[in-house]
Each structure stands twice: as structure tokens, then as C-alpha cells.
Amino acid sequence: MKLPRIAALLALPLAAAASAAPPKLIVAISVDQFSGDLFTQYRQYFTGGLKRLTQGAVFPMGYQSHNATETCPGHSTILTGDHPARTGIIANNWVDQSVSRADKSVYCSEDPSVPGSSSSNYTVSTHYLRVPALGDRMKRADPRSRSVAVAGKDRAAIMMGGFGPDQRWYWTGKAFDGTGAPRPAAVATVNASVAESLARPRAAMDLPSVCAPHSRAIALPGGKSVGTGRFARAAGETGKFRASPDFDAAILALAAQVRDEMHLGEGPATDLLAIGASATDYVGHTYGTQGSEMCIQLLALDRALGTLFDRLDSSGVDYVVMLTADHGGHDLPERIDQHGLSEAQRIDAALAPKAMGAAIAAKLGLKGPVLLGDSGFGDLYLDRSLKGKARQSALAAAVSAYRGHPQVAAVFTAAELKAAPRPSGPPDTWSLIDRAKASFDPERSGDFVVLLKPRVTPIADASAGYVATHGSPWDYDRRVPILFWRKGMTGFEQSLSVETVDIMPTLAALIGLKLAPGEVDGRCLDLDEGEGNTCSPPP
């Protein structure tokens, strides 16, 4: 079966209306890097699944309210109800100088105790996750409940699936793999379809008329350009497959077929299907957010989601859908500059921890790397070999150097973050230290955290790898849509700010799963348009 025709795996006619009882199936979808800005920009063009979701409960001002707006922390908030400070997932990667290996960077979904593990070659694990996800809570309340996670990234499947899903499947670079017994036939079916498609060249996709104005070449260093792509690829190009609508089509087809095989939503208890649609993120990183590539991707995703929902309708299962994103994204500064915002720029390479650490070492007469970290922003760590006054001097020098740099908005030390109160109130009113506090774990976070100014892209060189990214404390990375839909519900829109940590308590209330006060960071959102209250259903 050819992958461009994989939607045929999903397509079936519509079915009957859901009952007023708790839904039998929760479908929780995260569209990686689907910012609130993109939702607003393309909302008028949606005709499929995303259009359907806009007819339910729409919260366009959802927030991944923390500072570290990366994939792993963002996914950790969606079905746990907790900020990264509580989930323990402070970033995609962070530094742990206690590990015995030479690679002191650890990956959020690895088990560092496995011999030979590194942050890039690892055994997928929930080792670093500190709190249960919705599926864990559902199974604890009723062991008959089943939980399945299907995603394009292992970290999405780990963080949304929690500790003990019945099935967990994710893309490994060449195929879908994971855990689950018995292994669904769908895994082999979709992998065969993907392999068949990758074995041949992929023709360029059609350019929809609404995407034509976005098709404009943006020149980058090294002769590279983006903005006019239509996802053509040569045989065997798995990287280009991953950064294309075909990837999401495969993810959604796998999720749909696993649901069918397991008859999720047809048992005595409510089941959960968590889906991580990852292609939008890879498209955003590879091409930016405002070219033909992102336009084609979002319209294709809209159609693929529509086909998935049609197939769910045909099953007769009473299901509720929630869709959100793990974070937003920022377009490449070269295109932003052409749109008249000249302050958009790439990060100064001097802010990289290796470069800054060398400068501090030379100034203070110290040995060693001095600073450790993945980039010139976010969590930065002092070399643990520094002790006493040398450590104090290095910390003071580093904080001063970063605070004095024109691209840096703020620097907070671990001591300042420990002392700061937990943030409260509407997330759009949070201060920078509030946002940093929501990402702070005293055992895992850096000795200090660096926040860049708005529109500073933390990629110094776009000539070879990614051209655009996310990870900032600013709203283009924090703000995401939060959408709920169930057949028969009266739709409404609430434009006040809410948080992704509110999603889990909201879904829990729909199925009568009780949470103790303060048990999670989030709160229940009422999905009843009128005087009723889905957060306090009648006994």
C-alpha cells in the first residue's frame, strides 16, 4: 500500500450520536509546534478535522505557561496536569554531572542506568518522569481501562502515555516500534506502507491556492533556501519523510488501526488514545513557519484529522477529542526581517556555554570547561569541579556576562528561583521569573537560567541544520490552542487565557475521575456552554 494513499486506511462513513454518559474513549492529540499564531492564521481555511474541533469548546489562548517551551516539557504537562517543575521534565536535554559516562547531557526519555546509554543512543524510558499521566490514573481507578500512546517522537509517547500504557508506539528513525503485547498487526501494516513509500521517489505535492502567496524563496547562508518547498524527496530520504505531511498520515493511520484492533472505547471502562502528531514540528524547524511548506502541512493535517474522526464516527464509539500543542514556534529571522521586524536575529555564538566558559576561565585563571549546557540559553551549569570561592567567582562572572549581553532579557540563579513563590493567576500575566519558576526543579535545573530577548533565535548557524526553533518564554512559543469536541455538545469560545495543565483535570471530570485539591497544578475547565458544569457533574 502506498503511503500517499494511506488515508484510505482511515476513510469510513459517519455514525451515530454519542450518549450523555461519560465518553467511552478519550482521544488526546498533541500537534507538535502548532502555535496559537498558526491556529489563528489558518483557522479560516480548515475544512476537515480542525474545522470540526472549532465547533466544540475552543480556548484559543491556551498556554504552555512555563519557560522551557520544548517538546518534552510541553508534552509532560498535557496529560499529567502539572508544570515541568512538578513533572521533573525541565527540558529535552539537561546536564547531570553525576552520571558515570563521559556524556553528561541526559535526554528526557532515556534510562541513563542502561550500560552504554547516551543522550543520543538510549533506551526509551519513563525514568525521569515524576508524576502519573491520565492513563495511569484511569487504570488505577478501574483496571479495565486501557491506555495507548502513538506518536512520531518517543518523548511524546512517553510523556503522554505515562508509566504504564497497554501499548506505546513511536517512530525510531526508520520504522514505528515500541512496546505492547500482543503486538498489533497495525504496526507491521503501517511500517510496510512506509517502507514501500520510502523505497521510491516522492513527487512534489500540489500547491493549494491559499498557499501560493507563501511560496517565496528565503536565502540562507551556504546557498540554502527555504519557503518554496512542496515535499518532493528522493528514495530513502527518511529525514524529508519525517518533515512532511506523509509522516502525520502514517502516525494517524497507526493510531486508527490500533484503536480498531484493540476495540478501544468498546469495553466496560473508558479508554484513552494519546496521539502525538509530530510533522508540524519538523516542518517548522526545517523550513520555518511562514513558507509554502507550513501552509501545505497544516491543510494536509486538517484533512488527515478529518479522516481519522470520520473513521471513529463509523465505529459507533462515544468519544471525546482534545487537541493542543506542546509548544509554539518562531519563524526564521531572515524572513521576519523582510516583514519589517528588524530586531529578529540569530543568537550570538559567544553566548554558547563552551565559548562563554572559556572566556570566564581566561579572566579568572580557572581550568576546565567552567560552564556546561546544550545552548547559550536555558539551563546552564557550573563545572562541579569548581569549589568554594572559585565556584562563587565563576557564578558571579557568568551571571554578569550574560546579563550584560544585549540579546539577553533576564538571568535567574538557582537561589533566586528557589526563593520565588509558585506562579499563580492568568498565565498571560506571569512575569519572567514566574515562567522560569514553572520550569525549575532544584535537583535538575541549572545553576542559573538564561532567557533571551524576544525574536532572538537560538540557532547561530542555519546553513546546515535547522533554520528555526522554539524554547523561549515569549508568547509565540508559549501560546497554543486547546480544543475539545464531542458529538452533540454545544460549541463555544472562551478567549481568556488557560493552561495546558488544565487539560487533564478537565478530561478527568468528564469521566468522573476524582482529584484531591492541590493534587495537580491544573484546574478543570467547564465544557458546558450553558448553566451546567462539566467540572461538577450531578451525582
Side-chain angles (χ1 to χ4, degrees):
M1 178 167 25
K2 299 179 181 178
L3 188 67
R5 299 201 305 265
I6 206 162
L9 295 168
L10 301 171
L12 286 170
L14 296 175
S19 69
K24 298 294 291 182
L25 176 65
I26 294 171
V27 181
I29 304 171
S30 173
V31 176
D32 202 318
Q33 205 182 136
F34 186 36
S35 68
D37 294 332
L38 286 176
F39 174 69
T40 299
Q41 180 180 356
Y42 284 95
R43 183 174 178 176
Q44 62 184 311
Y45 303 118
F46 295 144
T47 60
L50 289 168
K51 174 69 173 180
R52 183 193 293 209
L53 294 178
T54 64
Q55 297 166 353
V58 178
F59 298 88
M61 292 284 286
Y63 276 83
Q64 289 282 4
S65 43
H66 52 275
N67 166 56
T69 48
E70 296 182 335
T71 300
C72 216
H75 278 105
S76 81
T77 71
I78 295 170
L79 292 182
T80 66
D82 288 323
H83 297 126
R86 203 164 183 171
T87 68
I89 308 301
I90 62 166
N92 287 345
N93 295 80
W94 60 89
V95 172
D96 182 355
Q97 297 180 73
S98 69
V99 295
S100 58
R101 67 197 192 203
D103 175 21
K104 302 301 183 184
S105 176
V106 297
Y107 174 60
C108 60
S109 294
E110 71 159 305
D111 183 350
S113 68
V114 175
S117 179
S118 72
S119 59
S120 58
N121 183 18
Y122 50 83
T123 298
V124 176
S125 170
T126 58
H127 176 85
Y128 286 114
L129 182 63
R130 286 188 164 139
V131 297
L134 177 60
D136 300 316
R137 294 178 181 275
M138 291 168 62
K139 293 171 76 67
R140 184 188 307 163
D142 188 338
R144 299 173 300 175
S145 180
R146 293 167 296 164
S147 171
V148 172
V150 177
K153 296 181 180 180
D154 58 51
R155 52 189 179 268
I158 286 287
M159 298 303 152
M160 294 182 73
F163 297 126
D166 297 88
Q167 303 273 341
R168 183 171 5 232
W169 304 101
Y170 47 84
W171 181 251
T172 63
K174 294 184 178 180
F176 289 98
D177 202 355
T179 56
R183 187 182 180 96
V187 177
T189 300
V190 174
N191 279 339
S193 175
V194 171
E196 182 183 352
S197 178
L198 286 172
R200 296 185 307 277
R202 174 63 154 98
M205 295 184 176
D206 292 338
L207 182 69
S209 59
V210 298
C211 298
H214 298 278
S215 185
R216 185 171 60 86
I218 304 295
L220 294 170
K224 181 178 179 179
S225 72
V226 298
T228 60
R230 290 164 51 195
F231 302 111
R233 64 175 184 268
E237 288 191 301
T238 56
K240 287 189 175 181
F241 163 74
R242 190 179 67 171
S244 80
D246 289 342
F247 190 35
D248 278 346
I251 295 166
L252 294 174
L254 178 57
Q257 290 192 53
V258 170
R259 192 232 67 89
D260 286 352
E261 281 190 61
M262 295 183 67
H263 300 283
L264 295 178
E266 299 176 37
T270 300
D271 297 324
L272 170 67
L273 176 60
I275 304 173
S278 305
T280 303
D281 185 66
Y282 290 120
V283 170
H285 282 303
T286 306
Y287 307 107
T289 65
Q290 293 300 310
S292 62
E293 302 93 348
M294 184 59 77
C295 184
I296 294 171
Q297 159 62 19
L298 291 179
L299 297 183
L301 175 64
D302 174 49
R303 292 192 299 272
L305 287 170
T307 307
L308 170 66
F309 299 156
D310 287 350
R311 180 164 181 165
L312 287 168
D313 289 341
S314 72
S315 72
V317 167
D318 177 13
Y319 67 98
V320 62
V321 179
M322 183 288 305
L323 184 143
T324 189
D326 55 342
H327 53 73
H330 195 230
D331 196 26
L332 57 152
E334 290 81 5
R335 182 158 44 212
I336 295 173
D337 181 69
Q338 292 184 12
H339 291 168
L341 297 173
S342 58
E343 67 268 31
Q345 55 191 292
R346 296 194 176 276
I347 192 172
D348 182 355
L351 289 174
K354 184 176 181 180
M356 186 66 80
I360 293 170
K363 179 181 178 180
L364 300 180
L366 301 173
K367 295 181 179 180
V370 179
L371 291 180
L372 302 172
D374 277 354
S375 183
F377 79 113
D379 289 288
L380 294 174
Y381 302 76
L382 295 175
D383 183 350
R384 69 175 179 175
S385 68
L386 294 171
K387 307 292 184 182
K389 290 184 178 179
R391 186 175 188 84
Q392 294 175 12
S393 297
L395 177 60
V399 170
S400 176
Y402 279 101
R403 282 178 174 162
H405 194 283
Q407 289 186 335
V408 173
V411 178
F412 301 113
T413 66
E416 290 172 325
L417 290 171
K418 285 179 184 177
R422 290 179 60 185
S424 60
D428 55 331
T429 68
W430 286 13
S431 67
L432 288 181
I433 197 168
D434 287 336
R435 302 173 197 192
K437 177 73 172 184
S439 292
F440 178 72
D441 182 304
E443 294 182 13
R444 296 176 181 173
S445 294
D447 292 290
F448 61 98
V449 60
V450 175
L451 282 62
L452 298 176
K453 287 183 177 178
R455 301 189 177 94
V456 177
T457 296
I459 298 175
D461 180 10
S463 63
Y466 285 165
V467 302
T469 194
H470 47 84
S472 81
W474 308 111
D475 280 5
Y476 50 76
D477 284 342
R478 293 174 76 224
R479 192 169 67 84
V480 298
I482 300 177
L483 313 172
F484 296 88
W485 181 90
R486 188 181 182 190
K487 192 166 188 177
M489 74 180 293
T490 300
F492 67 92
E493 185 151 340
Q494 173 54 266
S495 60
L496 297 178
S497 63
V498 297
E499 300 183 69
T500 54
V501 296
D502 299 333
I503 291 168
M504 192 280 280
T506 302
L507 295 173
L510 287 182
I511 59 173
L513 182 63
K514 297 188 181 300
L515 301 170
E519 187 175 353
V520 296
D521 293 329
R523 57 171 180 163
C524 180
L525 303 174
D526 180 14
L527 302 185
D528 190 301
E529 189 273 339
E531 296 181 358
N533 190 338
T534 60
C535 296
S536 301

